[in-house]
């Protein structure tokens, strides 16, 4: 009987400890630091596991922030009293702030994740610093294909790193590494879909081209919305005793951050979202035409001209399509129309701001 009691006590102790471990919150900071320490101590297997875990947790951290911002910014504000126009914005920000705070608290608790992440760690994650360590750790474990992928992934985010270029060149010259299989491990889905669409286009696989390009277009718009939502978190900005100055500084920083989401497109050699979307629409109109879907081709042409109204080749295409289909088939896609108008308006606001700043500096 005593033995049974002891066994039960031991079992209860184990269960309590397991429960405590289950409730323990993971810290991105601590796990990242363990990766750095393992690298310094030449514990290559631990180095790999800790950096991979830190990156996985950071993606989870970002997804919680982004999803909460998207959810709370889109929720309607319904007042129980008669609204006063000047106070609407205050009520909107108040309800959004309360929603974001609760959403994030719930999200981090549910994920058992510590939400304290330093700006330096965020910077390291953004510029793929873990891959700078990982390629060496993989190399030491004789995993050369993985080392090549890690080096290439780091290089995509840091294209001017000459040392990493030499490392990548070394890897791709090894017999174990196939240069055609070296990939960016952090590449966004829309990038892969776009590249796959190009491959299908060159083989004149029109249906496959349409499927990939349409998905790339949808995924890019979704990705950019998530990137823009992440801009809600800003580093400390200059504070002014004038409320309007402080708010304006924040809003301009927010708009600049949102516009900078398009910088990712430079990896595909595009300068703006308009250029990228127009390029996709060009491949779509050709593919739709070859599939005999002239109405969809006309819609792609019209939307292309919304983005690039002076393109002579597309204007000529429109004339050709106008002999093949009804005039009312030349309509703009609503998703791209909204993107175009928002982008144009944001650029206009920023341009006005820059002009005012410049004129004030010269007073």
């Amino acid at each position: 009987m005593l033995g049974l009691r002891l066994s039960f006590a031991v079992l209860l102790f184990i269960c309590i400890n397991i429960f405590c471990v289950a409730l323990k919150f993971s810290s991105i900071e601590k796990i990242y630091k363990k990766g750095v320490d393992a690298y310094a101590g030449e514990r290559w297997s631990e180095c790999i596991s800790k950096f991979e875990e830190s990156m996985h947790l950071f993606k989870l951290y970002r997804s919680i922030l982004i999803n909460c911002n998207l959810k709370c910014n889109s929720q309607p504000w319904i007042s129980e009293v008669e609204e006063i126009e000047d106070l609407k914005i205050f009520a909107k920000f108040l309800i959004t702030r309360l929603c974001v705070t609760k959403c994030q608290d719930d999200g981090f608790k549910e994920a058992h994740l510590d939400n304290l992440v330093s700006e330096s760690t965020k910077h390291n994650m953004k510029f793929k610093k873990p891959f700078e360590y990982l390629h060496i750790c993989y190399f030491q474990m004789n995993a050369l294909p993985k080392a090549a992928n890690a080096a290439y992934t780091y290089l995509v985010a840091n294209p001017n790193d000459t040392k990493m270029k030499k490392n990548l060149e070394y890897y791709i010259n090894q017999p174990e590494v196939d240069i055609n299989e070296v990939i960016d491990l952090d590449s966004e889905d829309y990038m892969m879909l776009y590249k796959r669409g190009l491959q299908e286009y060159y083989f004149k696989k029109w249906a496959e081209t349409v499927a990939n390009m349409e998905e790339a277009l949808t995924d890019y718009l979704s990705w950019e919305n998530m990137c823009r939502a992440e801009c809600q978190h800003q580093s400390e900005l200059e504070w002014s005793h004038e409320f309007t100055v402080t708010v304006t500084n924040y809003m301009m920083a927010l708009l600049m951050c949102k516009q900078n989401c398009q910088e990712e497109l430079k990896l595909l050699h595009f300068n703006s979202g308009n250029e990228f979307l127009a390029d996709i629409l060009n491949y779509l109109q050709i593919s739709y035409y070859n599939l005999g879907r002239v109405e969809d081709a006309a819609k792609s042409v019209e939307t292309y001209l919304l983005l690039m109204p002076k393109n002579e080749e597309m204007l000529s295409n429109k004339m050709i399509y106008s002999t093949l289909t009804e005039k009312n088939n030349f309509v703009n896609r609503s998703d791209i129309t909204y993107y175009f108008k928002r982008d144009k308006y944001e650029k206009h606001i920023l341009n006005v701001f820059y002009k005012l700043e410049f004129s004030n500096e010269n007073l």
Side-chain angles (χ1 to χ4, degrees), residues 107-207:
F108 287 118
K109 285 178 183 176
E110 186 177 343
H112 294 158
L113 182 62
D114 187 345
N115 67 346
L116 298 178
V117 184
S118 68
E119 291 299 323
S120 62
T121 297
K122 291 176 188 175
H123 180 271
N124 288 338
M125 291 295 184
K126 180 180 179 180
F127 290 97
K128 320 297 183 190
K129 185 71 173 178
F131 291 103
E132 187 177 23
Y133 293 106
L134 276 171
H135 89 90
I136 296 176
C137 300
Y138 285 134
F139 171 78
Q140 294 292 344
M141 296 292 289
N142 203 32
L144 296 186
K146 288 186 176 181
N149 287 336
Y152 179 66
T153 303
Y154 178 81
L155 202 54
V156 168
N158 305 273
N160 298 321
D161 191 314
T162 54
K163 186 177 180 181
M164 193 60 77
K165 286 180 181 178
K166 292 179 181 178
N167 289 330
L168 181 59
E169 186 177 349
Y170 167 80
Y171 291 135
I172 61 178
N173 285 325
Q174 302 309 303
E176 301 96 323
V177 179
D178 182 349
I179 189 172
N180 296 313
E181 295 183 0
V182 176
I183 60 171
D184 176 1
L185 296 170
D186 259 7
S187 179
E188 299 295 340
D189 288 344
Y190 73 84
M191 293 184 180
M192 292 185 286
L193 290 163
Y194 173 77
K195 291 176 181 178
R196 195 182 304 156
L198 289 181
Q199 292 173 347
E200 303 292 7
Y201 175 83
Y202 291 130
F203 286 106
K204 297 184 178 180
K205 296 181 179 180
W206 309 119

Side-chain angles (χ1 to χ4, degrees), residues 195-241:
K195 291 176 181 178
R196 195 182 304 156
L198 289 181
Q199 292 173 347
E200 303 292 7
Y201 175 83
Y202 291 130
F203 286 106
K204 297 184 178 180
K205 296 181 179 180
W206 309 119
E208 291 83 352
T209 301
V210 165
N212 282 291
M213 288 300 187
E214 284 285 5
E215 197 172 348
L217 188 154
T218 301
D219 193 75
Y220 170 71
L221 294 176
S222 175
W223 170 86
E224 203 195 56
N225 281 335
M226 290 189 290
C227 177
R228 292 165 63 85
E230 197 172 9
C231 289
Q232 298 286 57
H233 175 79
Q234 292 283 330
S235 300
E236 289 188 20
L237 299 173
E238 183 178 349
W239 179 265
S240 170
H241 294 294

Side-chain angles (χ1 to χ4, degrees), residues 82-99:
E82 183 181 355
E83 293 182 345
I84 303 298
E85 191 66 30
D86 291 347
L87 297 178
K88 273 186 179 181
I89 188 66
F90 291 97
K92 172 62 177 173
F93 277 117
L94 174 61
I95 199 69
T96 301
R97 184 258 191 193
L98 294 173
C99 174

